[in-house]
Structure formats: C-alpha cells, structure tokens
Amino acid sequence: MADTILKIENISKKYGKRLVLEDISFEVKEGEFISLLGPSGCGKTTILRLLIGIEKPNSGRIYKLGEEITDLAPKKRNIGIVFQNYSLFPNMNVYQNIAYALKSRKMSNEEIDKRVNDIIDVVDLSEHIYKKPRNLSGGQQQRVAIARTLVLNPDIILFDEPMSALDADIKVVLRNQLKDIQKKLNITMIYVTHDQEEAFALSDRIMVLNDSKIMQYDTPYNLYHNPSNEFVKKFVVNHLDLKVKSIEDNINDKKGA
Ligand SMILES: Nc1ncnc2c1ncn2[C@@H]1O[C@H](COP(=O)(O)OP(=O)(O)O)[C@@H](O)[C@H]1O
Ligand SMILES: [Mg+2]
C-alpha cells in the first residue's frame, strides 16, 4: 500500500462571514489520481488555494509527507498547479516557456537542457519544440502548461478545471494524454472538475463536494454502485453514461480498490 502524501485535517475556511469549507478531512496516497467533483461554488478551488498556500484556513491542519505545511510559504511546498487560463509567454517558444521556471534556480545549463527535453518527451511535444504558442492547438498549449509545472519536479500537481475551455473531442484526447503522463511519472495528481465524465474517466478516487462539505470520497465503482446520499445519486450517478468506454473501464478497473 502506498504511503500517505497528503493529509487534510478538519479544515474550515471563511471568506468574511461566509463559511466556504466546513470541517474538511481527507487523505491522498502517493501516486494517486484524485478528482474533486462538485457544482460551481462548492469550494473546489478554495481547497486547491489552501493546498498551494495562497490562502490560509481558519482552522485545521495540512500535512505533506508527514510534515505540517499549514503555514508554510507557497514556494517551499513543492506543490504545482495548472489553471484553466494558463498564460504562456507569447514571445517564447515551447522550449523557452518550459525552461523559464528553471532559470531562476541554481542549475547548470546542461541540467536545465536535460530536464526540459525529458519533459517535452513526456508530454509528447518534441515535434513542436521551436513553435510559439500561437502556432499550437489548444490541447498542445495546455500540454506546455502542464510541462512547465512538471519540470519543477513537484511532489503533487493540482489542476483547476484545466480542460473547460477546450472542445469536447480535444478534451478526450488530452484526458488520455494526462493519464499517460501520470502513469509514466507516477506523480500524485489532484484534479478539480465539475464534469462527471472527466472525473470518472481519470480518477482512482473521487471526492464529491457540495455546499462546502464532502458528500462522499470513494472509488468510481463505489460511487456508482453505492452512492451514500441523494446528492451523489442526483449529481453523479444520474449524469453518467456508461456507454463511454473509458468510464466503464475505469469503474471496473477500480472495483477491487
Ligand atoms: N476571494 C474570495 N472572497 C470572497 N468569497 C470568495 C472568494 N473566493 C471564493 N469565494 C466564494 O467561496 C465559494 C467557493 O468558491 P470556490 O472555491 O471558487 O468554488 P468552486 O471552485 O467549487 O466553484 C463561492 O461561493 C465563492 O463565491
Ligand atoms: Mg473553481
């Protein structure tokens, strides 16, 4: 059994008087792919902001690899994030965009070059290495954004609805590529989405959230077959089309998990 990489203990978060996360606790194992799934406004992005450290909880603790990081500066957490609105540098090519974050680190040019090329290989952009962002498709641009985060070697990588701006067919392709990247690198990923299909195709476990609280945190198989309340049934199960092959496969794949 893999070790616990992340442990969230009784987190509550208020914006002003408004409680947006209410006593949230969960664990993530090393190498797991977790989705946070829930309707708009339920608190998904807030959880990611607390994990990378740009927000502080009002109460509760966060541990990474057994060490408390609740008050640690974002830079020291080694947790990466990919947003929906990734902003690549328009005047830099693929290679330069990915190498940029490493330039400020004490690292030889040879090492930077090796790391960047390795990651370009992982995200399958070798043919596009000298292209500027405007000459790439939306899916390719998003892969550059993922590579930029991966090259820093984070312990955990977070995604905030990274595909919501893309067309449906590109989404499915990028989804498979993301799954491949995760298999190659065995890196822990936490993926925020409001798209049931996406969560069910990608995840080892899914956390269903509603109204600041966790409704159920479970495998795709268990969520589908044993929804623990009416919300999960209505928001998740009733929205799944098992005819989508990747979903059916992933549900059955994780049956024994
Ligand atoms: N900086 C902020 N100040 C005040 N309220 C906020 C702020 N950020 C988010 N909220 C509110 O907190 C709730 C949860 O937001 P968020 O975590 O962004 O939800 P989600 O990502 O699930 O859509 C929402 O009601 C949102 O309006
Ligand atoms: Mg959000």
Side-chain angles (χ1 to χ4, degrees), residues 26-45:
F26 63 94
E27 289 186 20
V28 177
K29 303 235 180 287
E30 233 166 329
E32 256 191 317
F33 194 113
I34 299 295
S35 285
L36 310 186
L37 173 66
S40 179
C42 71
K44 304 180 295 295
T45 295

Side-chain angles (χ1 to χ4, degrees), residues 2 8 29 67 148 253:
I8 283 39
K29 303 235 180 287
E67 237 175 276
R148 244 181 5 179
D253 212 33

Side-chain angles (χ1 to χ4, degrees), residues 21 24 26 36 43-51 207 209:
L21 291 174
I24 299 281
F26 63 94
L36 310 186
K44 304 180 295 295
T45 295
T46 303
I47 293 179
L48 298 191
R49 293 168 69 87
L50 292 168
L51 294 179
M207 181 183 307
L209 292 145

Side-chain angles (χ1 to χ4, degrees), residues 127-180:
E127 284 169 46
H128 308 288
I129 194 162
Y130 299 116
K131 288 187 186 163
K132 299 272 171 69
R134 66 173 174 278
N135 297 319
L136 299 171
S137 69
Q140 289 164 346
Q141 289 182 34
Q142 190 54 293
R143 263 145 58 209
V144 178
I146 294 169
R148 244 181 5 179
T149 305
L150 283 173
V151 80
L152 298 173
N153 240 338
D155 298 320
I156 305 171
I157 176 163
L158 314 176
F159 295 89
D160 198 353
E161 314 227 12
M163 301 192 197
S164 44
L166 302 174
D167 295 337
D169 38 342
I170 298 174
K171 270 188 195 172
V172 174
V173 174
L174 192 59
R175 210 195 264 166
N176 292 330
Q177 287 167 335
L178 186 60
K179 203 68 196 161
D180 286 344

Side-chain angles (χ1 to χ4, degrees), residues 55-151:
E55 289 287 351
K56 296 278 183 298
N58 293 83
S59 57
R61 292 166 199 271
I62 304 172
Y63 300 88
K64 194 192 76 180
L65 292 165
E67 237 175 276
E68 189 177 353
I69 60 162
T70 321
D71 295 313
L72 198 65
K75 272 190 176 172
K76 295 187 174 165
R77 295 187 180 207
N78 204 24
I79 298 177
I81 188 160
V82 177
F83 297 101
Q84 177 194 331
N85 300 317
Y86 47 91
S87 41
L88 302 177
F89 299 110
N91 55 334
M92 292 186 192
N93 65 31
V94 168
Y95 182 99
Q96 292 164 327
N97 261 286
I98 298 169
Y100 184 81
L102 292 177
K103 300 281 186 199
S104 60
R105 305 206 167 182
K106 286 196 183 103
M107 205 178 273
S108 69
N109 285 337
E110 288 77 25
E111 196 183 342
I112 290 179
D113 190 56
K114 181 172 182 331
R115 276 231 225 165
V116 173
N117 281 308
D118 284 352
I119 288 297
I120 285 178
D121 209 33
V122 168
V123 299
D124 201 16
L125 285 171
S126 308
E127 284 169 46
H128 308 288
I129 194 162
Y130 299 116
K131 288 187 186 163
K132 299 272 171 69
R134 66 173 174 278
N135 297 319
L136 299 171
S137 69
Q140 289 164 346
Q141 289 182 34
Q142 190 54 293
R143 263 145 58 209
V144 178
I146 294 169
R148 244 181 5 179
T149 305
L150 283 173
V151 80

Side-chain angles (χ1 to χ4, degrees), residues 238-254:
N238 294 351
H239 284 269
L240 279 180
D241 180 0
L242 287 193
K243 288 196 281 294
V244 178
K245 185 87 179 73
S246 55
I247 294 180
E248 193 196 349
D249 286 352
N250 197 34
I251 286 182
N252 290 321
D253 212 33
K254 303 286 151 48

